[in-house]
Amino acid sequence: MNSISPLKLLFLSTSVGPLGSGMGGGVELTLKNIAQALGDRHHTITIVAPSGSLLPSFPVIEISGRLQSTAQSEGREAWVAMPSESVLANMWNYARQVQANYDLILNFAYDWLPFYLTPFFQTPIAHLVSMGSLTDAIDHSIGQVITDFPSAIALHSRAQAATFEFGDRCRVVGNGFDLSQYQFCAEPKNALAWVGRLAPEKGLEDAVAAAQAAGIPLKIWGVLQDVPYWHDICDQYPDAPVTYEGFLPTAALQQELGKCRALLMTPRWVEAFGNVAIEALACGVPVIAYDRGGPAEIVQNGKTGWLVPPDRVKGLVDAIAKIDQIDRRTCREQAEQDYSLAAMGDRMEQWFATILARKAA
Ligand code: HBI
């Protein structure tokens, strides 16, 4: 536990959707968990987020304006684009006006603007980068922050860091979850789970193909972000035993997820971390994941799940066949060991202490 004094913190949320909508993907849960981890340690947290955001037990300053398009759909050469009346621009204009009331600003948005604005602010800005490298423009703006403020950038995994040429100069903080929200389930039903935004970078079609080959029902939870993509999968696998179960908030999701024999993780891209892997482990659910990105650093092969060669459905099917070799209690223990709120709170305080020490120097 660090002995840093209580801080007044301003969180700037993702610009692609209101908190609680699911449109922000994993970063919504990440922000909530970090607010709780730090709130438990007597820091005061205020959150700035798009209108319509809901977050229990923390003050949310709702900002109006048009949502940012998702960076992962932009392409590597994409220019920086913001609509008129941009919610992102309005959020950062608000932060500029109130910055003197805070000891530190923590940015969760994966956008060019917050990184570019960092030297323009008097209050230090810490950036928790939520995805791997996607566009040259954003890469360059993050690299510039590291040049000017060497301790200001943190990432979730080493694999995510490795996607940036400056990755070795970033802090890796993993993630943390309120494990009291997740109930351990010892006796699962005969079903597999897939959880995430239904979008091409998540590789859902492989999980559907694997469930069909294994003859085990697959339950799918998450925001239906790309409807044509989902319809293509349904057309391609008309007889697969799969059901789309909608987007559930954490309490309901973990109730259903815990009843599954395994979580399948089929990312096409370098998943920065893989929050759902921890949520599954916390419920005692083993994880079968492509050996790529954040999940490959989480799953202990043969102990809390199986890592399979990326993009190979047969690897998924082989792993499903031996899922009963995994002890579900070991899965819960791993979540408690590495990914609790207390562990994450320590890592965040260490990060902030480094930034504030540099500022003082
Ligand atoms: N795209 N432009 C942009 N900004 C974000 O904050 C953002 C995004 N795409 C996805 C995303 N955030 C989150 O879903 C991931 O960071 C988890």
Side-chain angles (χ1 to χ4, degrees):
M1 170 78 95
N2 281 299
S3 59
I4 69 172
S5 55
L7 299 172
K8 295 190 292 295
L9 300 168
L10 187 66
F11 284 14
L12 273 289
S13 183
T14 176
S15 56
V16 296
L19 284 172
S21 69
M23 292 161 66
V27 76
E28 292 186 32
L29 185 58
T30 298
L31 186 151
K32 177 167 170 280
N33 291 332
I34 291 174
Q36 195 169 332
L38 294 168
D40 291 349
R41 295 159 180 238
H42 312 306
H43 301 292
T44 51
I45 289 122
T46 303
I47 294 155
V48 179
S51 300
S53 290
L54 292 171
L55 194 81
S57 66
F58 290 98
V60 177
I61 311 287
E62 294 184 63
I63 303 291
S64 62
R66 290 170 60 190
L67 297 173
Q68 202 61 19
S69 59
T70 58
Q72 66 268 32
S73 52
E74 296 286 332
R76 170 128 320 262
E77 311 295 326
W79 289 31
V80 175
M82 287 194 289
S84 62
E85 272 311 293
S86 155
V87 71
L88 179 68
N90 293 341
M91 285 164 68
W92 282 89
N93 188 37
Y94 174 81
R96 176 186 61 80
Q97 292 166 350
V98 300
Q99 60 177 305
N101 304 333
Y102 298 93
D103 299 305
L104 187 125
I105 294 170
L106 178 54
N107 171 47
F108 290 83
Y110 190 98
D111 287 289
W112 175 86
L113 185 67
F115 299 114
Y116 179 75
L117 288 177
T118 306
F120 291 75
F121 273 65
Q122 291 71 46
T123 298
I125 304 176
H127 299 275
L128 181 50
V129 177
S130 60
M131 294 185 284
S133 167
L134 285 174
T135 73
D136 292 342
I138 294 175
D139 282 11
H140 179 77
S141 65
I142 300 173
Q144 195 55 53
V145 169
I146 290 179
T147 301
D148 298 341
F149 306 94
S151 49
I153 302 290
L155 306 160
H156 289 291
S157 71
R158 292 185 300 280
Q160 180 196 4
T163 66
F164 297 101
E165 55 90 15
F166 46 72
D168 54 338
R169 288 182 281 147
C170 300
R171 179 180 289 257
V172 175
V173 293
N175 213 340
F177 298 78
D178 179 359
L179 299 175
S180 70
Q181 301 293 316
Y182 299 85
Q183 272 70 45
F184 175 75
C185 169
E187 302 294 331
K189 297 193 183 330
N190 186 35
L192 299 166
W194 189 94
V195 183
R197 287 177 293 109
L198 278 72
E201 66 269 16
K202 298 284 188 177
L204 174 55
E205 59 276 17
D206 287 6
V208 171
Q212 177 161 294
I216 301 177
L218 176 70
K219 290 173 174 271
I220 298 164
W221 288 280
V223 165
L224 185 33
Q225 181 170 310
D226 187 326
V227 177
Y229 168 68
W230 171 236
H231 286 169
D232 286 350
I233 294 174
C234 296
D235 293 345
Q236 199 179 353
Y237 298 95
D239 308 321
V242 307
T243 49
Y244 173 54
E245 305 279 341
F247 168 75
L248 296 181
T250 301
L253 174 66
Q254 63 85 30
Q255 191 81 35
E256 297 307 312
L257 176 55
K259 297 172 190 166
C260 294
R261 293 178 60 192
L263 172 75
L264 302 185
M265 294 192 79
T266 53
R268 285 277 182 261
W269 64 345
V270 172
E271 189 77 31
F273 185 71
N275 286 346
V276 292
I278 311 302
E279 297 186 282
L281 294 174
C283 299
V285 178
V287 177
I288 294 171
Y290 283 153
D291 191 1
R292 141 187 307 155
E297 293 174 33
I298 293 170
V299 177
Q300 295 169 359
N301 195 41
K303 281 188 65 184
T304 57
W306 297 105
L307 292 174
V308 305
D311 309 322
R312 297 258 302 280
V313 171
K314 186 180 178 323
L316 297 171
V317 179
D318 293 347
I320 291 166
K322 55 184 184 178
I323 201 60
D324 294 338
Q325 291 177 27
I326 303 295
D327 175 353
R328 291 171 70 93
R329 195 159 291 284
T330 308
C331 297
R332 171 72 193 197
E333 285 162 5
Q334 182 190 2
E336 290 171 349
Q337 179 73 34
D338 303 331
Y339 302 112
S340 66
L341 284 189
M344 187 61 174
D346 280 345
R347 296 192 285 263
M348 296 304 283
E349 286 192 329
Q350 285 158 13
W351 182 25
F352 295 167
T354 304
I355 292 174
L356 294 172
R358 270 188 193 277
K359 181 174 186 299

